[in-house]
Amino acid sequence: MSHSNIDVRYVANLARLELSDEEVAIFQPQLEAILGQVQILTALDVSGIDPTAHDSMVFGKMRDDTPHESLSPEAVLKNAPDQAQGQIRVPKVVTDA
Amino acid sequence: MTITKLRRQLLAGETTPAAILESLAGQIAARDGQTGAYLTHDLESALAEAAQSDLSLPLGGIPIAIKDNINVLGQPCTCGSKFLQNYVSPYDATVIRKLRAAGAIPYGRMNMDEFAMGSATENSALQVTRNPHDLSRIPGGSSGGSAAAVADLTAIAALGSDTGGSIRQPASHCGVVGLKPSYGRVSRYGLVAFASSLDQIGPITQTVEDAALILQAIAGGDPLDTTCLDAPVPDFLASLHDGVKGLKLGIPKEYFGHGIAPGVRKAVESAIESLAAQGAEIVEISLPHTEHAVATYYVLAPAEASSNLSRFDGIRYGHRASNPSDILDLYQKSREQGFGPEVKRRIILGTYVLSSGYYDAYYSRAQKVRILVQRDFENAFKQVDAILSPVSPSPARKIGTFSDDPLHEYLSDIFTIAANLAGIPGISVPCGTTDDDGGNQLPVGIQILAPRLGEAKLLQIAKAAESSESV
């Protein structure tokens, strides 16, 4: 783990977050400090350990694939910011070449 | 008034569900303007439910306040965020369905740190919540509204959620009981996800017995949450009064080093002495990876959050920026406008540790260290029945004192975080007060941790710790 040189604006763009210059100036040193603290993990020997969330629990039990009631289109559309003809409306996705 | 006492009064015909709700609404009107625990509360719909109450059910007629990240049909679910300010839940979370099946009435939406990210409720984008014991101080967080209302007696009991201490720490700061069940004990279907390998829903109550009553109602498998275990749910009340005689309780030497406020140490040590006087054997143990747990958490929790919060894109629900130039601009502006600083900070951190070139160094390594933290507990529980510690190194701080130092705030989660990483249950029980800051007496909580799915014994020990405090 090399010492972090996080490019805040680049990473924010990966997360589809637009940031102001002021926000970048605030976050940059804060995130560097947090990543600096995380460096203590490099000192540990983790060879032979599988990266898993829960070592000894069994999840992922399959349930029967039976149809059950789900939300109606009307219920879902109630929270949509914009809609037309029973569907969620978004700005044009495909642009002219 | 506790659930237990109200249930007795209801069954004796001395009160009614409607009268309890009206009385709560009066308390809220009188005091919540100062405390700010409630975001909203809909008395009319609660009264309509109360009219249908079946008092023969275990929680029949009891109103329960709900943290604002748990969906209740027809009610807001803002998660303390501007992004979801106008969102109305189209369905009930499984815990709400189960509470209703037990006769309880969801009443009130409780303030919280935005998307449960924080330890002070100061990251709520919607309002300030104050500690009822000292209105200049934080209630803790992220379930600060739930804990403050139970402490202020504007709620009988509440549900919170705990990803790194968000039930236990505000309970400790507000002088009430807060229980984080084992990972998999309670369904998260309908809880707005923050970090899915860590999140658990649990009760915040005035007494340990009330916490047991609520856990009894909400525990158990759920086909709608594949991480929810089908394990049998024991009768948590049956062993509640069995005491601690003959039990071995561990004190992690790493937890009692420097950094604990003297008044917190004194209160916790006197609770430990009392448990010893009741017949428990106190044993020193070691959790060698304590220091690494916080670093592990602050890689894993933001990583999972950055993924979970990608759903907030301004398309299907929540805030949408006006006049975007194209779809990409819509995503970026909606998220920029809708999220507060702590949420952005964690999304960026999480995206970074998951990004190509850094994944192995941060995320994958943290997942491995997480196993070391889990093994620490497995080894400890070979020697002891449960582990005792403070919940928080210091009592509730003043509002606004660490706002630009997130790292310092993160480090104060040291005692609570490991339970989430290990998936084990933990409870905060009031154990006295401190006036370290020279001001008001502020509550201190003792944390008890038990092996996975060991809530019955956890509650049994908590009951003994509680009695010792009230004697």
Side-chain angles (χ1 to χ4, degrees):
Chain A
M1 209 184 293
S2 63
H3 187 65
S4 92
N5 43 0
I6 180 171
D7 179 341
V8 168
R9 194 177 288 285
Y10 173 78
V11 178
N13 183 53
L14 292 178
R16 298 294 178 250
L17 260 181
E18 193 179 274
L19 295 183
S20 67
D21 291 342
E22 294 74 38
E23 283 177 312
V24 173
I26 293 166
F27 291 160
Q28 186 77 41
Q30 289 175 339
L31 290 167
E32 282 173 7
I34 294 163
L35 288 166
Q37 178 73 21
V38 168
Q39 301 296 319
I40 63 165
L41 299 183
T42 54
L44 291 174
D45 178 11
V46 291
S47 53
I49 299 175
D50 284 332
T52 49
H54 293 282
D55 202 15
S56 53
M57 288 172 106
V58 182
F59 293 115
K61 203 181 75 149
M62 306 293 271
R63 64 175 156 82
D64 292 337
D65 185 19
T66 46
H68 62 96
E69 210 180 326
S70 54
L71 295 176
S72 69
E74 295 74 29
V76 172
L77 284 169
K78 268 189 186 160
N79 281 305
D82 193 8
Q83 53 175 292
Q85 296 164 25
Q87 300 184 51
I88 294 166
R89 183 156 64 185
V90 297
K92 197 171 175 183
V93 175
V94 182
T95 51
D96 300 324
Chain B
M1 192 72 85
T2 64
I3 296 177
T4 315
K5 282 183 188 153
L6 280 173
R7 284 286 302 153
R8 221 173 283 142
Q9 291 191 358
L10 282 164
L11 291 173
E14 292 162 15
T15 187
T16 65
I20 294 170
L21 280 167
E22 301 274 12
S23 159
L24 276 184
Q27 303 294 329
I28 295 167
R31 282 197 305 282
D32 200 59
Q34 280 194 311
T35 312
Y38 282 80
L39 289 170
T40 55
H41 55 106
D42 181 349
L43 182 60
E44 206 176 314
S45 76
L47 284 171
E49 266 188 72
Q52 313 291 320
S53 287
D54 180 351
L55 296 185
S56 69
L57 295 168
L59 297 175
I62 301 294
I64 295 184
I66 309 295
K67 187 177 183 179
D68 208 27
N69 60 352
I70 299 171
N71 281 275
V72 176
L73 174 66
Q75 295 191 9
C77 188
T78 67
C79 297
S81 180
K82 281 197 266 181
F83 204 102
L84 292 174
Q85 211 161 3
N86 300 313
Y87 180 85
V88 178
S89 297
Y91 69 106
D92 274 342
T94 294
V95 288
I96 300 301
R97 199 172 45 70
K98 287 190 170 217
L99 280 182
R100 289 203 163 114
I105 303 160
Y107 176 55
R109 307 293 307 172
M110 311 317 291
N111 197 23
M112 56 183 283
D113 286 300
E114 185 173 8
F115 290 106
M117 298 178 188
S119 319
T121 314
E122 285 180 308
N123 294 330
S124 169
L126 304 180
Q127 82 189 23
V128 175
T129 300
R130 299 172 181 280
N131 192 314
H133 295 271
D134 178 344
L135 295 172
S136 70
R137 290 176 188 270
I138 59 160
S142 67
S143 310
S146 296
V150 174
D152 208 19
L153 305 181
T154 53
I156 312 296
L159 288 188
S161 67
D162 189 315
T163 305
S166 281
I167 286 174
R168 290 161 285 157
Q169 184 258 24
S172 174
H173 282 353
C174 290
V176 295
V177 174
L179 168 65
K180 181 201 91 75
S182 309
Y183 189 76
R185 182 58 104 180
V186 176
S187 166
R188 287 101 47 85
Y189 177 73
L191 169 71
V192 179
F194 160 15
S196 303
S197 77
L198 304 160
D199 298 339
Q200 259 307 285
I201 296 171
I204 295 178
T205 55
Q206 293 167 45
T207 63
V208 173
E209 184 167 4
D210 282 2
L213 280 167
I214 292 183
L215 181 64
Q216 198 76 55
I218 63 176
D222 178 10
L224 297 175
D225 176 0
T226 56
T227 66
C228 189
L229 300 167
D230 269 332
V233 178
D235 181 347
F236 297 116
L237 292 173
S239 50
L240 196 63
H241 299 277
D242 285 1
V244 291
K245 197 170 166 56
L247 293 183
K248 279 190 180 176
L249 305 178
I251 311 293
K253 59 181 182 197
E254 292 83 0
Y255 282 26
F256 283 84
H258 53 86
I260 300 177
V264 171
R265 180 188 291 269
K266 199 165 151 247
V268 172
E269 283 178 349
S270 82
I272 293 170
E273 279 164 26
S274 157
L275 287 166
Q278 293 177 60
E281 184 187 344
I282 308 297
V283 184
E284 185 181 88
I285 57 159
S286 175
L287 299 169
H289 297 95
T290 294
E291 200 191 342
H292 302 95
V294 180
T296 302
Y297 179 87
Y298 279 100
V299 172
L300 298 180
E304 296 184 27
S306 73
S307 173
N308 275 325
L309 269 62
S310 65
R311 74 191 56 175
F312 299 107
D313 55 7
I315 301 296
R316 291 152 300 160
Y317 46 78
H319 175 73
R320 182 185 287 192
S322 47
N323 304 316
S325 59
D326 56 22
I327 191 90
L328 192 61
D329 193 45
L330 184 156
Y331 296 147
Q332 291 178 323
K333 288 215 162 65
S334 299
R335 288 161 68 79
E336 159 70 359
Q337 293 164 8
F339 291 145
E342 182 62 22
V343 174
K344 289 176 185 168
R345 202 152 36 226
R346 295 205 200 186
I347 288 175
I348 296 166
L349 184 58
T351 303
Y352 179 74
V353 301
L354 289 173
S355 63
S356 174
Y358 299 98
Y359 182 95
D360 285 341
Y362 288 100
Y363 183 75
S364 182
R365 176 165 281 265
Q367 283 283 61
K368 292 175 183 175
V369 176
R370 176 179 193 156
I371 301 303
L372 295 177
V373 173
Q374 290 177 15
R375 288 180 186 168
D376 279 358
F377 283 99
E378 280 163 23
N379 289 331
F381 288 129
K382 284 176 191 159
Q383 300 170 59
V384 295
D385 296 290
I387 295 170
L388 308 175
S389 80
V391 176
S392 176
S394 42
R397 61 169 172 77
K398 295 267 189 191
I399 290 170
T401 42
F402 285 134
S403 312
D404 51 5
D405 188 0
L407 180 57
H408 188 288
E409 194 87 346
Y410 294 175
L411 294 175
S412 72
D413 297 339
I414 186 160
F415 302 133
T416 49
I417 268 175
N420 299 78
L421 291 171
I424 60 173
I427 192 167
S428 171
V429 181
C431 68
T433 58
T434 170
D435 61 351
D436 278 343
D437 282 7
N440 296 338
Q441 288 287 334
L442 299 170
V444 176
I446 183 171
Q447 175 176 248
I448 309 165
L449 302 172
R452 191 172 282 167
L453 299 180
E455 285 88 354
K457 194 157 277 177
L458 181 74
L459 288 158
Q460 175 188 331
I461 298 164
K463 179 70 195 165
E466 177 183 53
S467 319
S468 67
E469 197 254 337
S470 56
V471 168

